[in-house]
């Protein structure tokens, strides 16, 4: 039996294994252990680069992630180039030409003593560090090409040798396993996030709250889950095309209320229930709106349920952003279908609630007509009889005034009955009339009719888009006063002669109440919604003390240009 080597001796290399390579086996084993020690994909790629550089003595290492069509790179992770140099270099390589492109087209190992002399090399960008020795080979995950590992410029300034290639081959195999595990983990996490987002959307739509708030939740979740620069919800417009009804973005974009015209090819595709994927909005001829051209890749999905298209969901990424992967497209489509189903169920729920409200309004109108007006009319007749029999002139005059007040009250009740019995389709289109209709509708749950005042030519100067948003803001403000303020008095003022802070003419809506005010730490989603609406039109919204004693209650001011 042969003797084992004593302490301090080098283990025999074995037949066919050079001594210097055998000495690096422990380093390789440690490298393999390090590569497989995490599950987050990007950090796994970072570790592979750092480990490969340490194993071969390379100054620089990188991994280029190949796109699904194997035509270029979707990601480029590098090691050895500091952040300042990376910023000076600028844009990352896309792998569509040069030596990196050749490795994508022919995924076989490449070892060069001086890459600058290779005819496939197309040079380096300005500020790029000099590189000569080069070693590149593919990384496969379950037999499929994931990307390429690149090593450059050994620290001893020697070319990469066969031993380096053998070690990196082994490391690339282990890297493929680690990347496969990381991708499975990331896919599971991604699916979980999309499922959670779908649950949040369904909850918001079916919670019975404001429909526009629920659509805003759809836009915000779509933006967050897809990693997009914005989330946009579109619904069919009255005049054709699709109207932007909710936008989630970092800054106000002015898109809310805009209509994508029906002649757009993309609108036709969405309304036909087909998804549209744009690689670069700046160059795609189907993009008709200027705002969309500021983006890069865009995923546009129909909000479709049971064959009925309810609208569209748009998720644009920044210019130069990564295209949407096949997995993201599938998850996005599933999310849009779930949102459409929840939207349809929410519409049915609101229809039931609206029907219940109309039935209640009919009952109230009948009671007012059959009971209250008849009693007031009988009381008026009794007072007229008493007036005729009165001897004292002061008493006769006082009774006459009371009879006159009863006549006015009867007329006001009849007006309220007419408003209660009037359906939405019967409402005239004038802004003044729409404001009055909202006030009359709010009077039922409030138990009193808010006071109102108009200043200036409200019906003639305020445009349709601003008017529609003003009505929505009034509805939100009155709803907040009813649900949260406990007010006994509300004053509504619509001023079409207002001047905005930037000097432009505009319309200002003021809704003031004498309720309890806004408590510290209370919900402010309604106020945020008002502000978002105003900012989307180039205006603003604010709130302050109300009209109760000592400034009690809340005053909401909403203003926008015509």
């Amino acid at each position: 039996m042969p003797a084992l080597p004593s302490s301090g001796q080098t283990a025999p290399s074995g037949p066919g294994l050079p001594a210097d390579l055998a000495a690096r086996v422990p380093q390789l084993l440690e490298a393999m252990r390090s590569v497989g020690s995490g599950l987050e994909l990007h950090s796994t790629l970072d570790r592979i680069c750092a480990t490969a550089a340490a194993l071969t003595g390379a100054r620089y290492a990188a991994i280029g992630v190949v796109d699904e069509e194997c035509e270029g790179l979707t990601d480029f992770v590098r090691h050895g180039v500091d952040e300042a140099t990376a910023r000076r270099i600028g844009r990352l390589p896309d792998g569509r030409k040069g030596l990196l492109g050749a490795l994508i087209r022919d995924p076989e190992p490449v070892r060069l003593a001086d890459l600058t002399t290779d005819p496939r090399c197309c040079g380096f960008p300005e500020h790029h560090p000099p590189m000569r020795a080069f070693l590149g080979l593919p990384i496969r995950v379950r037999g499929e090409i994931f990307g390429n590992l690149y090593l450059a410029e050994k620290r001893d300034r020697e070319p990469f040798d066969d031993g380096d290639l053998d070690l990196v081959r082994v490391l690339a195999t282990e890297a493929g396993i680690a990347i496969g595990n990381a991708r499975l983990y990331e896919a599971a996490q991604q699916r979980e996030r999309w499922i959670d987002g779908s649950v949040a959307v369904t909850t918001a739509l079916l919670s019975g709250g404001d429909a526009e708030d629920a659509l805003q939740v759809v836009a915000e979740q779509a933006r967050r889950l897809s990693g997009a620069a914005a989330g946009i919800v579109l619904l069919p417009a009255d005049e054709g095309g699709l109207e932007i009804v909710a936008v989630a973005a970092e800054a106000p974009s002015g898109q809310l209320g805009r209509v994508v015209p029906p002649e757009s090819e993309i609108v036709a595709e969405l309304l036909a229930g087909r998804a549209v994927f744009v690689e670069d909005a700046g160059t795609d001829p189907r993009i008709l709106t200027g705002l969309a051209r500021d983006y890069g890749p865009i995923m546009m999905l129909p909000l479709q349920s049971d064959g009925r298209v309810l609208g569209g969901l748009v998720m644009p990424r920044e210019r130069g952003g990564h295209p949407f992967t096949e997995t993201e497209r599938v998850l996005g489509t599933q999310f849009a279908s779930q949102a459409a189903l929840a939207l349809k169920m929410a519409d049915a729920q609101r229809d039931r609630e609206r029907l219940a409200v109309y039935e209640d309004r009919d009952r109230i109108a009948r009671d007012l007509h059959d009971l209250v007006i008849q009693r007031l009319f009988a009381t008026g007749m009794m007072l007229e009889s008493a007036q005729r029999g009165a001897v004292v002139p002061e008493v006769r005059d006082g009774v006459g005034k009371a009879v006159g007040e009863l006549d006015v009250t009867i007329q006001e009740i009849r007006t309220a009955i007419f408003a209660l019995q009037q359906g939405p389709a019967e409402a005239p289109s004038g802004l003044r009339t729409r404001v009055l209709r909202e006030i009359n509708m709010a009077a039922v749950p409030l138990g009193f009719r808010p006071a109102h005042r108009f200043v200036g030519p409200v019906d003639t100067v305020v445009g349709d888009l601003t008017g529609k948003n003003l009505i929505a803001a009034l509805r939100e403000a009155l709803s907040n006063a009813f649900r949260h303020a406990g007010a006994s008095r509300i004053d509504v003022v619509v001023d079409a002669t207002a001047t905005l802070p930037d000097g432009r003419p505009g319309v200002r809506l003021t809704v003031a109440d004498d309720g309890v005010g806004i408590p510290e730490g209370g919900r402010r989603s309604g106020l945020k919604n008002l502000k978002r609406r105003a900012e989307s039109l180039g205006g603003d919204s604010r709130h302050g003390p109300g009209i109760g004693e000592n400034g009690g209650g809340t005053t909401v001011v909403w203003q926008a240009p015509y």
Side-chain angles (χ1 to χ4, degrees):
M1 180 175 177
L4 295 172
S6 61
S7 175
Q9 290 180 308
T10 303
S13 60
L17 187 64
D20 61 335
L21 186 58
R24 295 163 70 183
V25 168
Q27 187 182 4
L28 174 62
L29 295 174
E30 176 60 25
M32 293 170 66
R33 185 201 64 78
S34 174
V35 163
S37 61
L39 285 175
E40 200 276 323
L41 181 57
H42 209 274
S43 63
T44 299
L45 299 180
D46 285 333
R47 280 196 307 277
I48 293 170
C49 288
T51 303
L55 192 62
T56 59
R59 290 180 180 274
Y60 308 105
I63 292 178
V65 181
V66 178
D67 61 25
E68 294 177 350
E69 294 79 19
C70 290
E71 295 178 353
L73 300 177
T74 61
D75 199 3
F76 193 81
V77 180
R78 55 192 166 193
H79 169 80
V81 177
D82 59 76
E83 288 299 322
T85 303
R87 283 195 298 270
R88 287 195 297 271
I89 293 172
R91 194 168 68 89
L92 295 172
D94 58 14
R96 296 186 179 274
K97 59 183 179 179
L99 188 57
L100 302 189
L103 274 169
I104 294 173
R105 292 186 293 273
D106 184 18
E108 294 295 332
V110 174
R111 183 155 51 97
L112 301 172
D114 185 354
L115 64 87
T116 60
T117 63
D118 191 280
R120 295 169 292 184
C121 181
C122 58
F124 295 112
E126 190 178 2
H127 306 298
H128 197 287
M131 296 180 182
R132 292 188 178 275
F134 177 82
L135 175 61
L137 74 165
I139 297 176
R140 289 180 168 84
V141 177
R142 295 178 177 84
E144 299 291 332
I145 295 293
F146 170 82
N148 292 305
L149 173 63
Y150 316 111
L151 299 167
E153 204 63 15
K154 292 191 69 170
R155 296 186 182 278
D156 58 8
R157 299 189 180 278
E158 293 292 325
F160 292 98
D161 56 27
D162 291 339
D164 294 323
L165 179 57
D166 291 337
L167 289 174
V168 176
R169 280 183 191 272
V170 176
L171 183 65
T173 302
E174 179 63 24
I177 297 172
I179 290 171
N181 292 336
R183 289 176 78 179
L184 287 173
Y185 176 76
E186 188 173 82
Q189 293 290 98
Q190 190 179 34
R191 289 181 183 279
E192 184 177 346
R193 289 194 300 271
W194 281 93
I195 290 172
D196 289 344
S198 296
V199 171
V201 165
T202 303
T203 302
L205 285 168
L206 299 180
S207 63
D210 188 88
E212 289 165 356
D213 285 344
L215 291 174
Q216 186 66 24
V217 172
V218 175
E220 289 169 354
Q221 290 291 338
R223 174 183 176 238
R224 179 182 69 85
L225 295 169
S226 64
I232 303 170
V233 178
L234 304 99
L235 296 180
D238 294 337
E239 64 272 25
L242 291 173
E243 180 184 357
I244 297 175
V245 296
V247 179
E250 283 292 335
S253 61
Q255 296 180 2
L256 194 66
R258 296 203 175 193
V259 175
V260 184
E263 57 267 21
S264 166
E265 181 182 340
I266 289 174
V267 168
E269 290 288 308
L270 289 176
L271 292 177
R274 292 187 289 269
V276 178
F277 303 99
V278 173
E279 294 296 321
D280 184 2
T283 59
D284 196 300
R286 296 174 295 177
I287 302 296
L288 299 182
T289 58
L291 286 172
R293 292 193 179 279
D294 296 334
Y295 296 112
I298 305 181
M299 178 162 59
M300 291 174 271
L301 305 171
L303 291 170
Q304 185 174 219
S305 178
D306 293 334
R308 178 188 169 200
V309 177
L310 306 176
L313 181 61
V314 179
M315 290 158 277
R317 283 179 173 165
E318 296 285 0
R319 179 69 62 82
H322 298 309
F324 290 94
T325 65
E326 187 61 34
T327 300
E328 288 174 326
R329 295 180 180 189
V330 171
L331 291 173
T333 301
Q334 293 172 349
F335 173 82
S337 297
Q338 180 66 27
L341 177 60
L343 188 61
K344 186 177 178 181
M345 293 172 63
D347 281 342
Q349 178 174 298
R350 279 190 288 274
D351 286 342
R352 290 193 297 270
E353 293 172 352
R354 195 177 294 117
L355 180 60
V357 169
Y358 289 153
E359 290 175 346
D360 200 32
R361 286 169 60 183
D362 285 342
R363 179 188 57 79
I364 294 171
R366 286 195 304 271
D367 289 346
L368 286 173
H369 182 272
D370 296 342
L371 301 177
V372 178
I373 287 184
Q374 297 301 325
R375 289 181 179 179
L376 289 174
F377 188 73
T379 303
M381 292 181 66
M382 291 172 60
L383 288 173
E384 285 181 344
S385 176
Q387 182 185 26
R388 287 192 296 270
V391 178
V392 180
E394 291 80 0
V395 173
R396 189 165 52 250
D397 292 342
V399 173
K401 288 181 181 179
V403 172
E405 288 295 327
L406 281 176
D407 287 339
V408 172
T409 302
I410 290 172
Q411 291 301 320
E412 289 181 347
I413 292 176
R414 283 175 173 165
T415 301
I417 291 172
F418 177 74
L420 286 170
Q421 293 175 331
Q422 190 177 47
E426 300 165 359
S429 58
L431 179 59
R432 184 187 299 261
T433 305
R434 283 183 286 164
V435 169
L436 291 174
R437 178 173 174 270
E438 292 297 327
I439 290 174
N440 288 332
M441 289 179 66
V444 177
L446 285 168
F448 64 91
R449 190 170 186 266
H452 66 275
R453 182 163 61 92
F454 296 98
V455 180
V458 173
D459 282 337
T460 58
V461 300
V462 182
D464 290 340
L465 179 60
T466 300
K468 182 169 65 174
N469 281 277
L470 183 145
I471 292 298
L474 173 61
R475 187 181 302 128
E476 180 78 38
L478 291 174
S479 175
N480 288 340
F482 164 65
R483 289 185 295 176
H484 308 300
S488 60
R489 175 188 167 194
I490 299 176
D491 292 345
V492 177
V493 178
V494 181
D495 184 0
T497 65
T499 300
L500 303 185
D502 58 6
R504 289 179 297 169
V507 60
R508 179 179 296 124
L509 168 69
T510 305
V511 181
D513 66 63
D514 64 349
V516 297
I518 302 174
E520 289 294 330
R523 290 185 60 200
R524 284 168 167 77
S525 58
L527 296 174
K528 290 179 180 177
N529 190 33
L530 291 172
K531 191 170 184 65
R532 185 175 65 247
R533 278 187 173 280
E535 289 178 344
S536 71
L537 299 170
D540 60 50
S541 178
R542 63 184 186 275
H543 63 278
I547 54 176
E549 294 183 7
N550 301 319
T554 305
T555 296
V556 174
V557 179
W558 186 97
Q559 57 188 8
Y562 297 141

